[in-house]
Amino acid sequence: MKRLIMLAAVLLVSVSASATVKTLKGQVGKEVHISVEGNPSTGYSWMLKNLPQQLVFVSSEYQQSKDCKTGMVGCAGTQNFVFIAQKPGKGELTLTHGRVWDNKSWQDSVILVDIRK
């Protein structure tokens, strides 16, 4: 699912492993959140490949889908990345989806970054 949602000063972008280029807009000094669909039980995970100078990496956390009932395994969910917009300008954020030990499985998702004062 691909969607762009603005909530107060927080920007949330959702992309899938086959994401096309998106533009991530934010404001200096504010948090920027990116959520990507994933399922680490398959061996695939999201990796931060390229961080533009406009952003500072804060954290990354996986959250299982609310549809995943207690005791269920193999459920999909979202990987949530948190950044701080540190300086104005444009750049590219690259996330890679694949098996950490198998670089032939890696697929890049490029997100354009546009940070304003």
Side-chain angles (χ1 to χ4, degrees), residues 38-60:
N39 189 342
S41 68
T42 63
Y44 283 77
S45 63
W46 284 96
M47 301 167 271
L48 182 58
K49 184 175 183 179
N50 179 53
L51 183 65
Q53 61 183 349
Q54 289 79 17
L55 300 177
V56 174
F57 175 74
V58 176
S59 65
S60 174

PDB file of all heavy atoms in Angstrom, residues 38-60:
ATOM      1  N   GLY A  38       6.568  -5.112   5.686  1.00  0.00           N
ATOM      2  CA  GLY A  38       7.583  -6.151   5.733  1.00  0.00           C
ATOM      3  C   GLY A  38       7.114  -7.382   6.480  1.00  0.00           C
ATOM      4  O   GLY A  38       6.059  -7.378   7.109  1.00  0.00           O
ATOM      5  N   ASN A  39       7.948  -8.410   6.415  1.00  0.00           N
ATOM      6  CA  ASN A  39       7.693  -9.647   7.130  1.00  0.00           C
ATOM      7  C   ASN A  39       9.036 -10.332   7.382  1.00  0.00           C
ATOM      8  O   ASN A  39       9.481 -11.154   6.593  1.00  0.00           O
ATOM      9  CB  ASN A  39       6.759 -10.554   6.322  1.00  0.00           C
ATOM     10  CG  ASN A  39       6.300 -11.753   7.116  1.00  0.00           C
ATOM     11  OD1 ASN A  39       6.885 -12.114   8.128  1.00  0.00           O
ATOM     12  ND2 ASN A  39       5.247 -12.394   6.643  1.00  0.00           N
ATOM     13  N   PRO A  40       9.711  -9.971   8.474  1.00  0.00           N
ATOM     14  CA  PRO A  40      11.046 -10.515   8.718  1.00  0.00           C
ATOM     15  C   PRO A  40      11.076 -12.027   8.918  1.00  0.00           C
ATOM     16  O   PRO A  40      12.136 -12.639   8.812  1.00  0.00           O
ATOM     17  CB  PRO A  40      11.515  -9.782   9.978  1.00  0.00           C
ATOM     18  CG  PRO A  40      10.313  -9.173  10.575  1.00  0.00           C
ATOM     19  CD  PRO A  40       9.294  -9.017   9.496  1.00  0.00           C
ATOM     20  N   SER A  41       9.924 -12.656   9.165  1.00  0.00           N
ATOM     21  CA  SER A  41       9.913 -14.113   9.329  1.00  0.00           C
ATOM     22  C   SER A  41      10.272 -14.823   8.027  1.00  0.00           C
ATOM     23  O   SER A  41      10.611 -16.004   8.030  1.00  0.00           O
ATOM     24  CB  SER A  41       8.550 -14.600   9.837  1.00  0.00           C
ATOM     25  OG  SER A  41       7.554 -14.431   8.857  1.00  0.00           O
ATOM     26  N   THR A  42      10.231 -14.106   6.905  1.00  0.00           N
ATOM     27  CA  THR A  42      10.602 -14.674   5.607  1.00  0.00           C
ATOM     28  C   THR A  42      12.112 -14.590   5.362  1.00  0.00           C
ATOM     29  O   THR A  42      12.603 -15.082   4.355  1.00  0.00           O
ATOM     30  CB  THR A  42       9.897 -13.918   4.466  1.00  0.00           C
ATOM     31  OG1 THR A  42      10.342 -12.556   4.465  1.00  0.00           O
ATOM     32  CG2 THR A  42       8.396 -13.977   4.612  1.00  0.00           C
ATOM     33  N   GLY A  43      12.827 -13.925   6.284  1.00  0.00           N
ATOM     34  CA  GLY A  43      14.259 -13.722   6.103  1.00  0.00           C
ATOM     35  C   GLY A  43      14.581 -12.386   5.456  1.00  0.00           C
ATOM     36  O   GLY A  43      15.731 -11.979   5.381  1.00  0.00           O
ATOM     37  N   TYR A  44      13.561 -11.700   4.970  1.00  0.00           N
ATOM     38  CA  TYR A  44      13.746 -10.398   4.339  1.00  0.00           C
ATOM     39  C   TYR A  44      13.592  -9.304   5.381  1.00  0.00           C
ATOM     40  O   TYR A  44      12.716  -9.368   6.240  1.00  0.00           O
ATOM     41  CB  TYR A  44      12.725 -10.175   3.221  1.00  0.00           C
ATOM     42  CG  TYR A  44      13.052 -10.928   1.958  1.00  0.00           C
ATOM     43  CD1 TYR A  44      12.816 -12.283   1.857  1.00  0.00           C
ATOM     44  CD2 TYR A  44      13.618 -10.272   0.869  1.00  0.00           C
ATOM     45  CE1 TYR A  44      13.118 -12.986   0.710  1.00  0.00           C
ATOM     46  CE2 TYR A  44      13.933 -10.959  -0.294  1.00  0.00           C
ATOM     47  CZ  TYR A  44      13.679 -12.318  -0.363  1.00  0.00           C
ATOM     48  OH  TYR A  44      13.990 -13.001  -1.506  1.00  0.00           O
ATOM     49  N   SER A  45      14.453  -8.297   5.285  1.00  0.00           N
ATOM     50  CA  SER A  45      14.364  -7.160   6.193  1.00  0.00           C
ATOM     51  C   SER A  45      14.698  -5.889   5.428  1.00  0.00           C
ATOM     52  O   SER A  45      15.183  -5.921   4.301  1.00  0.00           O
ATOM     53  CB  SER A  45      15.302  -7.341   7.383  1.00  0.00           C
ATOM     54  OG  SER A  45      16.646  -7.396   6.952  1.00  0.00           O
ATOM     55  N   TRP A  46      14.424  -4.760   6.063  1.00  0.00           N
ATOM     56  CA  TRP A  46      14.717  -3.453   5.482  1.00  0.00           C
ATOM     57  C   TRP A  46      16.036  -2.940   6.040  1.00  0.00           C
ATOM     58  O   TRP A  46      16.291  -3.043   7.236  1.00  0.00           O
ATOM     59  CB  TRP A  46      13.598  -2.463   5.806  1.00  0.00           C
ATOM     60  CG  TRP A  46      12.391  -2.690   4.972  1.00  0.00           C
ATOM     61  CD1 TRP A  46      11.288  -3.405   5.316  1.00  0.00           C
ATOM     62  CD2 TRP A  46      12.169  -2.214   3.647  1.00  0.00           C
ATOM     63  NE1 TRP A  46      10.384  -3.398   4.282  1.00  0.00           N
ATOM     64  CE2 TRP A  46      10.912  -2.666   3.241  1.00  0.00           C
ATOM     65  CE3 TRP A  46      12.919  -1.443   2.755  1.00  0.00           C
ATOM     66  CZ2 TRP A  46      10.367  -2.383   1.997  1.00  0.00           C
ATOM     67  CZ3 TRP A  46      12.378  -1.160   1.516  1.00  0.00           C
ATOM     68  CH2 TRP A  46      11.120  -1.630   1.140  1.00  0.00           C
ATOM     69  N   MET A  47      16.875  -2.400   5.153  1.00  0.00           N
ATOM     70  CA  MET A  47      18.176  -1.861   5.531  1.00  0.00           C
ATOM     71  C   MET A  47      18.282  -0.424   5.031  1.00  0.00           C
ATOM     72  O   MET A  47      17.773  -0.099   3.957  1.00  0.00           O
ATOM     73  CB  MET A  47      19.293  -2.709   4.918  1.00  0.00           C
ATOM     74  CG  MET A  47      19.251  -4.164   5.345  1.00  0.00           C
ATOM     75  SD  MET A  47      20.321  -5.225   4.333  1.00  0.00           S
ATOM     76  CE  MET A  47      19.188  -5.678   3.010  1.00  0.00           C
ATOM     77  N   LEU A  48      18.943   0.404   5.789  1.00  0.00           N
ATOM     78  CA  LEU A  48      19.180   1.788   5.404  1.00  0.00           C
ATOM     79  C   LEU A  48      20.457   1.824   4.573  1.00  0.00           C
ATOM     80  O   LEU A  48      21.539   1.543   5.076  1.00  0.00           O
ATOM     81  CB  LEU A  48      19.321   2.652   6.653  1.00  0.00           C
ATOM     82  CG  LEU A  48      19.528   4.133   6.477  1.00  0.00           C
ATOM     83  CD1 LEU A  48      18.391   4.765   5.691  1.00  0.00           C
ATOM     84  CD2 LEU A  48      19.647   4.790   7.833  1.00  0.00           C
ATOM     85  N   LYS A  49      20.328   2.123   3.282  1.00  0.00           N
ATOM     86  CA  LYS A  49      21.483   2.081   2.376  1.00  0.00           C
ATOM     87  C   LYS A  49      22.123   3.450   2.205  1.00  0.00           C
ATOM     88  O   LYS A  49      23.348   3.573   2.192  1.00  0.00           O
ATOM     89  CB  LYS A  49      21.053   1.538   1.017  1.00  0.00           C
ATOM     90  CG  LYS A  49      22.195   1.375   0.037  1.00  0.00           C
ATOM     91  CD  LYS A  49      21.711   0.715  -1.237  1.00  0.00           C
ATOM     92  CE  LYS A  49      22.841   0.476  -2.202  1.00  0.00           C
ATOM     93  NZ  LYS A  49      22.365  -0.194  -3.423  1.00  0.00           N
ATOM     94  N   ASN A  50      21.312   4.480   2.051  1.00  0.00           N
ATOM     95  CA  ASN A  50      21.845   5.823   1.819  1.00  0.00           C
ATOM     96  C   ASN A  50      21.015   6.830   2.595  1.00  0.00           C
ATOM     97  O   ASN A  50      19.808   6.905   2.429  1.00  0.00           O
ATOM     98  CB  ASN A  50      21.802   6.168   0.328  1.00  0.00           C
ATOM     99  CG  ASN A  50      22.317   7.565   0.054  1.00  0.00           C
ATOM    100  OD1 ASN A  50      23.400   7.918   0.471  1.00  0.00           O
ATOM    101  ND2 ASN A  50      21.524   8.357  -0.631  1.00  0.00           N
ATOM    102  N   LEU A  51      21.675   7.602   3.447  1.00  0.00           N
ATOM    103  CA  LEU A  51      21.021   8.625   4.249  1.00  0.00           C
ATOM    104  C   LEU A  51      21.495   9.999   3.775  1.00  0.00           C
ATOM    105  O   LEU A  51      22.691  10.291   3.837  1.00  0.00           O
ATOM    106  CB  LEU A  51      21.370   8.436   5.729  1.00  0.00           C
ATOM    107  CG  LEU A  51      20.723   9.378   6.709  1.00  0.00           C
ATOM    108  CD1 LEU A  51      19.213   9.165   6.745  1.00  0.00           C
ATOM    109  CD2 LEU A  51      21.306   9.141   8.101  1.00  0.00           C
ATOM    110  N   PRO A  52      20.590  10.840   3.272  1.00  0.00           N
ATOM    111  CA  PRO A  52      21.015  12.157   2.798  1.00  0.00           C
ATOM    112  C   PRO A  52      21.395  13.060   3.971  1.00  0.00           C
ATOM    113  O   PRO A  52      20.952  12.842   5.106  1.00  0.00           O
ATOM    114  CB  PRO A  52      19.774  12.685   2.072  1.00  0.00           C
ATOM    115  CG  PRO A  52      18.635  12.034   2.773  1.00  0.00           C
ATOM    116  CD  PRO A  52      19.142  10.671   3.159  1.00  0.00           C
ATOM    117  N   GLN A  53      22.187  14.067   3.699  1.00  0.00           N
ATOM    118  CA  GLN A  53      22.658  14.974   4.745  1.00  0.00           C
ATOM    119  C   GLN A  53      21.531  15.769   5.395  1.00  0.00           C
ATOM    120  O   GLN A  53      21.711  16.321   6.478  1.00  0.00           O
ATOM    121  CB  GLN A  53      23.721  15.916   4.189  1.00  0.00           C
ATOM    122  CG  GLN A  53      23.227  16.808   3.065  1.00  0.00           C
ATOM    123  CD  GLN A  53      24.337  17.665   2.490  1.00  0.00           C
ATOM    124  OE1 GLN A  53      25.415  17.749   3.057  1.00  0.00           O
ATOM    125  NE2 GLN A  53      24.065  18.310   1.381  1.00  0.00           N
ATOM    126  N   GLN A  54      20.363  15.787   4.797  1.00  0.00           N
ATOM    127  CA  GLN A  54      19.233  16.518   5.360  1.00  0.00           C
ATOM    128  C   GLN A  54      18.612  15.792   6.558  1.00  0.00           C
ATOM    129  O   GLN A  54      17.877  16.392   7.333  1.00  0.00           O
ATOM    130  CB  GLN A  54      18.130  16.745   4.303  1.00  0.00           C
ATOM    131  CG  GLN A  54      18.489  17.731   3.233  1.00  0.00           C
ATOM    132  CD  GLN A  54      19.395  17.137   2.164  1.00  0.00           C
ATOM    133  OE1 GLN A  54      19.521  15.926   2.020  1.00  0.00           O
ATOM    134  NE2 GLN A  54      20.044  17.997   1.403  1.00  0.00           N
ATOM    135  N   LEU A  55      18.881  14.484   6.709  1.00  0.00           N
ATOM    136  CA  LEU A  55      18.256  13.687   7.758  1.00  0.00           C
ATOM    137  C   LEU A  55      19.278  13.103   8.724  1.00  0.00           C
ATOM    138  O   LEU A  55      20.397  12.777   8.339  1.00  0.00           O
ATOM    139  CB  LEU A  55      17.466  12.521   7.144  1.00  0.00           C
ATOM    140  CG  LEU A  55      16.336  12.865   6.187  1.00  0.00           C
ATOM    141  CD1 LEU A  55      15.720  11.579   5.622  1.00  0.00           C
ATOM    142  CD2 LEU A  55      15.274  13.706   6.876  1.00  0.00           C
ATOM    143  N   VAL A  56      18.843  12.931   9.979  1.00  0.00           N
ATOM    144  CA  VAL A  56      19.608  12.215  10.992  1.00  0.00           C
ATOM    145  C   VAL A  56      18.780  10.999  11.388  1.00  0.00           C
ATOM    146  O   VAL A  56      17.593  11.125  11.716  1.00  0.00           O
ATOM    147  CB  VAL A  56      19.852  13.093  12.243  1.00  0.00           C
ATOM    148  CG1 VAL A  56      20.511  12.284  13.353  1.00  0.00           C
ATOM    149  CG2 VAL A  56      20.681  14.306  11.903  1.00  0.00           C
ATOM    150  N   PHE A  57      19.389   9.811  11.340  1.00  0.00           N
ATOM    151  CA  PHE A  57      18.699   8.580  11.723  1.00  0.00           C
ATOM    152  C   PHE A  57      18.519   8.548  13.237  1.00  0.00           C
ATOM    153  O   PHE A  57      19.465   8.774  13.982  1.00  0.00           O
ATOM    154  CB  PHE A  57      19.507   7.367  11.259  1.00  0.00           C
ATOM    155  CG  PHE A  57      18.932   6.060  11.711  1.00  0.00           C
ATOM    156  CD1 PHE A  57      17.792   5.547  11.115  1.00  0.00           C
ATOM    157  CD2 PHE A  57      19.521   5.349  12.739  1.00  0.00           C
ATOM    158  CE1 PHE A  57      17.251   4.337  11.530  1.00  0.00           C
ATOM    159  CE2 PHE A  57      18.995   4.138  13.156  1.00  0.00           C
ATOM    160  CZ  PHE A  57      17.854   3.640  12.555  1.00  0.00           C
ATOM    161  N   VAL A  58      17.291   8.253  13.696  1.00  0.00           N
ATOM    162  CA  VAL A  58      17.001   8.164  15.128  1.00  0.00           C
ATOM    163  C   VAL A  58      16.781   6.717  15.550  1.00  0.00           C
ATOM    164  O   VAL A  58      17.424   6.231  16.479  1.00  0.00           O
ATOM    165  CB  VAL A  58      15.771   9.023  15.507  1.00  0.00           C
ATOM    166  CG1 VAL A  58      15.413   8.844  16.974  1.00  0.00           C
ATOM    167  CG2 VAL A  58      16.011  10.491  15.184  1.00  0.00           C
ATOM    168  N   SER A  59      15.867   6.009  14.861  1.00  0.00           N
ATOM    169  CA  SER A  59      15.583   4.634  15.266  1.00  0.00           C
ATOM    170  C   SER A  59      14.838   3.877  14.172  1.00  0.00           C
ATOM    171  O   SER A  59      14.322   4.465  13.223  1.00  0.00           O
ATOM    172  CB  SER A  59      14.735   4.611  16.544  1.00  0.00           C
ATOM    173  OG  SER A  59      13.460   5.174  16.302  1.00  0.00           O
ATOM    174  N   SER A  60      14.780   2.552  14.353  1.00  0.00           N
ATOM    175  CA  SER A  60      14.026   1.674  13.467  1.00  0.00           C
ATOM    176  C   SER A  60      13.424   0.573  14.331  1.00  0.00           C
ATOM    177  O   SER A  60      14.111   0.002  15.184  1.00  0.00           O
ATOM    178  CB  SER A  60      14.942   1.068  12.407  1.00  0.00           C
ATOM    179  OG  SER A  60      14.239   0.120  11.635  1.00  0.00           O
TER     180      SER A  60
END
